[in-house]
Amino acid sequence: IINIPPRFSKSTLCGVLFPAWVFAQPENTPVSGNGVQFLHASYSQTLALQDSLKCRRLLESDWYLSRWGDRVQVSSDQNTKSQFDLESGGRRMTTSVGGSTTGLGGQYLICDDPNNARESNSEAVIMSTIEWWDMAWSTRLNDPKTGCRIVVQQRLNERDITGHILSQDIGNW
């Protein structure tokens, strides 16, 4: 759980730079190397796609390719804003809170700003987001023993996703 105020680059660090760093690692393990699969979500599909596009542009940049292009290449046959694959099996997929997760998964589940600040006191939105977390998102790890869930957000309400997770008294957070 990463809880810091807005405008501190948490989305850039977790949604853009972190996947690029993981893909560049020379050792392939369940959570490092060019075969790792990421699944990202945000309250807004637009915001989620924005970070996906930035990550893809970084991976395709001359700077990145000159350093790690020997092991990190974006596949030409699956290269969209919402999902791009690597030739080596790695992947970055994007959805939104409440969006479909059927058939999706990853070794890293990164949930960036799951709660919309403008709706942070709406009981209906809070309950809908918690239901999405419990019923859909929390079950998307490819391997629960080795995978990792990351929540990045500003605290908005005692019952936001961070509050919900902490109230569950589930370890490993």
Side-chain angles (χ1 to χ4, degrees):
I1 296 175
I2 301 169
N3 292 148
I4 53 178
R7 313 302 307 159
F8 277 82
S9 299
K10 62 187 180 295
S11 295
T12 299
L13 289 170
C14 294
V16 178
L17 302 177
F18 181 62
W21 179 81
V22 169
F23 292 146
Q25 298 308 299
E27 184 178 356
N28 285 314
T29 72
V31 292
S32 74
N34 57 13
V36 173
Q37 296 183 351
F38 285 85
L39 181 56
H40 291 255
S42 178
Y43 76 86
S44 161
Q45 181 74 4
T46 301
L47 291 176
L49 290 175
Q50 175 181 293
D51 288 340
S52 179
L53 182 58
K54 287 178 183 178
C55 183
R56 187 181 73 188
R57 285 180 178 158
L58 174 59
L59 297 181
E60 293 177 329
S61 72
D62 290 339
W63 178 86
Y64 191 91
L65 290 171
S66 70
R67 288 158 175 79
W68 302 287
D70 61 324
R71 61 179 173 265
V72 181
Q73 300 93 29
V74 175
S75 175
S76 61
D77 64 349
Q78 181 56 61
N79 186 358
T80 66
K81 290 179 185 179
S82 62
Q83 178 181 330
F84 59 85
D85 293 352
L86 303 182
E87 294 291 341
S88 53
R91 174 179 293 156
R92 188 187 190 290
M93 293 181 284
T94 303
T95 189
S96 61
V97 170
S100 177
T101 58
T102 302
L104 303 180
Q107 279 102 322
Y108 284 100
L109 304 182
I110 299 180
C111 195
D112 183 1
D113 287 327
N115 302 97
N116 183 335
R118 287 178 287 166
E119 299 173 329
S120 63
N121 291 314
S122 165
E123 185 66 23
V125 172
I126 288 171
M127 292 309 299
S128 174
T129 304
I130 288 172
E131 182 178 307
W132 170 82
W133 177 271
D134 287 346
M135 304 300 282
W137 190 254
S138 64
T139 64
R140 299 290 100 199
L141 282 175
N142 288 348
D143 184 346
K145 293 180 182 177
T146 59
C148 180
R149 291 182 190 94
I150 299 171
V151 174
V152 183
Q153 72 174 120
Q154 61 177 310
R155 289 304 308 269
L156 297 167
N157 186 301
E158 288 183 12
R159 297 184 59 229
D160 62 15
I161 289 299
T162 294
H164 176 67
I165 292 166
L166 295 175
S167 74
Q168 301 298 305
D169 195 31
I170 301 170
N172 302 321
W173 285 95

